[in-house]
Amino acid sequence: MITRREALAIPFATLLESPFLFALDDSDPTRVFTGELKPTDVRLGPPRTLNGYFPFIVPKTKEEWAARRKLVRERVLVSNGLWPLPEKTPLKPVIHGKIERDGYTVEKVFFASMPGHYVSGNLYRPIVESDKPRKLPAVLCPHGHWLNGRFYEATDADAKKQIATKAEETMVGAKFPLQARCAMLARMGFVVFFYDMVGNADSKAIPHREGFKDVQAELRGQSFFGLQTWNSVRALDFVESLPDVDPKRIGVTGASGGGTQTFVLCAIDDRPAAAFPAVMVSTAMQGGCVCENCSGFRTDTGNIELAAMFAPKPLAMSGADDWTKEILTKGYPELKELYALHGAEPKAAAKARIQCPHNYNQGPRELMHTWVSQH
């Protein structure tokens, strides 16, 4: 074994990595471990990327899952800089510019998710033919990485292609698929809040994929993803505060990056009653933007387990010809198993349309409309 004098000569960083010292290797006096022994440090292995394989191992009992769920939730909150949750300062919402459409109205909205930072979006409301006020169900709609965010408009050529491949049936739906989701929900009787990702549409104070990249932000647990997640929490606060909304009947649905926002919000907040994250839940690619990732977020977890955090509440999802195309065989069976563990297997559903690329087109929208109406 090494002498005390020799031990004192070992660099402090080496001592931190190897608290249990072994005899030095005579062939290489810089080695602390002899022979084939190596430190049990995961950082010595190959780096993990977002394009790896992220399976979900279902716990054997409800008690095991409860403990695991608590651990993952705390990790999500800590990595997002939301542990403990920041103070919920007054939203001071401004709702203005109402326009009337066929069976629904649309209004502009902005509110302060924190002092000096604003969330913007559109509020869709059904036109209710009744003199008696009643509380309506609501759906929170984050959007993903579509050009111009909630203002996305496909070209005529792209819209015709969507119709030719049967992804859409009408030019209106093909040109405005994100707005079509909200308009139909409003016609069905839901209040809908369609809000901007940071750096999109009316939210331009911080450009998308910029901000919080320096050491100071990292040391303070601040990230672009954490801000986006907090905006989703406050968007839920806003919808819950509306006088015509039943706070116990609020669903959440988004696609792509909006799908990430959907299952992350539902993983840390118990208020949503139903969730539909589209084209994002998979064992494959885990999200390629800083609005979907931050330091420590995916430690020992992945999108399947993050979506599973919503169990046993109603959870459905869609797949497409992208990284979610294997959802029916990789991920969804494990989700069904977890829901069965809670006696709630019918409350988990998935559908994949492999002939369609990454999208929130008519097929997934119709599945979502049916799902939120049911639940």
Side-chain angles (χ1 to χ4, degrees):
M1 297 294 290
I2 62 175
T3 66
R4 181 174 181 273
R5 182 186 297 274
E6 291 170 327
L8 291 174
I10 296 175
F12 184 68
T14 303
L15 291 173
L16 287 178
E17 293 178 1
S18 310
F20 301 102
L21 297 179
F22 291 79
L24 289 175
D25 190 325
D26 293 335
S27 63
D28 183 357
T30 64
R31 287 177 56 89
V32 174
F33 290 83
T34 62
E36 298 300 320
L37 289 173
K38 295 181 180 179
T40 55
D41 190 331
V42 295
R43 294 171 295 179
L44 296 176
R48 199 177 190 191
T49 74
L50 294 170
N51 293 313
Y53 178 51
F54 294 78
F56 171 44
I57 307 302
V58 183
K60 297 188 182 301
T61 67
K62 290 172 65 174
E63 291 73 24
E64 287 181 21
W65 171 243
R68 173 67 182 173
R69 183 177 182 273
K70 180 177 183 293
L71 173 65
V72 173
R73 170 178 277 196
E74 290 180 359
R75 284 180 179 174
V76 173
L77 288 167
V78 170
S79 64
N80 275 265
L82 300 176
W83 180 270
L85 284 176
E87 178 188 357
K88 289 188 174 183
T89 52
L91 294 171
K92 299 181 179 178
V94 175
I95 304 173
H96 65 107
K98 180 185 286 189
I99 58 174
E100 188 168 322
R101 291 289 185 254
D102 183 15
Y104 65 97
T105 62
V106 186
E107 296 166 282
K108 302 171 186 177
V109 174
F110 65 89
F111 59 79
S113 62
M114 61 179 65
H117 178 74
Y118 294 87
V119 174
S120 49
N122 286 126
L123 183 64
Y124 294 71
R125 283 185 166 118
I127 296 177
V128 180
E129 302 294 341
S130 175
D131 295 331
K132 295 182 179 180
R134 61 190 179 96
K135 297 286 189 177
L136 300 173
V139 178
L140 197 60
C141 287
H143 63 72
H145 294 93
W146 276 268
L147 183 64
N148 296 325
R150 79 179 202 275
F151 299 147
Y152 173 73
E153 178 180 353
T155 64
D156 287 347
D158 285 341
K160 290 176 181 177
K161 187 182 298 183
Q162 294 289 320
I163 292 175
T165 58
K166 301 188 184 304
E168 298 282 356
E169 292 185 2
T170 68
M171 279 295 288
V172 173
K175 285 183 68 67
F176 306 100
L178 304 186
Q179 295 92 328
R181 173 196 356 167
C182 304
M184 181 56 71
L185 283 168
R187 285 173 174 163
M188 293 165 60
F190 292 89
V191 174
V192 182
F193 182 49
F194 188 23
Y195 63 105
D196 293 326
M197 296 171 72
V198 178
N200 282 265
D202 287 328
S203 178
K204 292 295 180 65
I206 303 173
H208 201 70
R209 294 188 173 93
E210 298 297 330
F212 309 104
K213 290 184 174 180
D214 58 0
V215 174
Q216 296 300 319
E218 188 76 19
L219 290 174
R220 288 167 172 77
Q222 297 172 330
S223 66
F224 197 98
F225 185 29
L227 177 60
Q228 184 64 67
T229 301
W230 182 244
N231 283 354
S232 294
V233 172
R234 300 313 319 265
L236 184 54
D237 291 340
F238 165 69
V239 171
E240 194 176 55
S241 72
L242 295 172
D244 53 344
V245 167
D246 181 350
K248 294 183 179 180
R249 291 192 293 160
I250 301 176
V252 189
T253 182
S256 192
T260 301
Q261 294 171 59
T262 297
F263 62 68
V264 170
L265 173 62
C266 292
I268 65 172
D269 200 309
D270 291 326
R271 289 176 291 174
F276 192 102
V279 290
M280 199 64 237
V281 180
S282 80
T283 57
M285 199 278 291
Q286 300 288 290
C289 183
V290 292
C291 74
E292 302 174 84
N293 296 283
C294 59
S295 297
F297 175 57
R298 297 184 191 279
T299 301
D300 191 29
T301 192
N303 287 355
I304 301 296
E305 182 172 51
L306 291 166
M309 299 280 285
F310 198 55
K313 293 182 180 180
L315 169 71
M317 65 212 67
S318 63
D321 188 15
D322 55 18
W323 53 90
T324 62
K325 62 185 178 182
E326 296 183 307
I327 182 61
L328 293 179
T329 57
K330 293 181 180 180
Y332 180 53
E334 288 74 19
L335 287 170
K336 286 180 62 178
E337 184 180 342
L338 178 70
Y339 271 74
L341 190 67
H342 290 81
E345 187 176 349
K347 292 185 179 180
K351 184 177 182 179
R353 299 187 72 194
I354 307 306
Q355 73 273 23
C356 294
H358 193 61
N359 70 88
Y360 204 166
N361 293 135
Q362 186 165 331
R365 292 200 306 270
E366 290 177 348
L367 176 61
M368 178 271 294
H369 291 147
T370 302
W371 187 256
V372 296
S373 292
Q374 182 180 353
H375 295 287

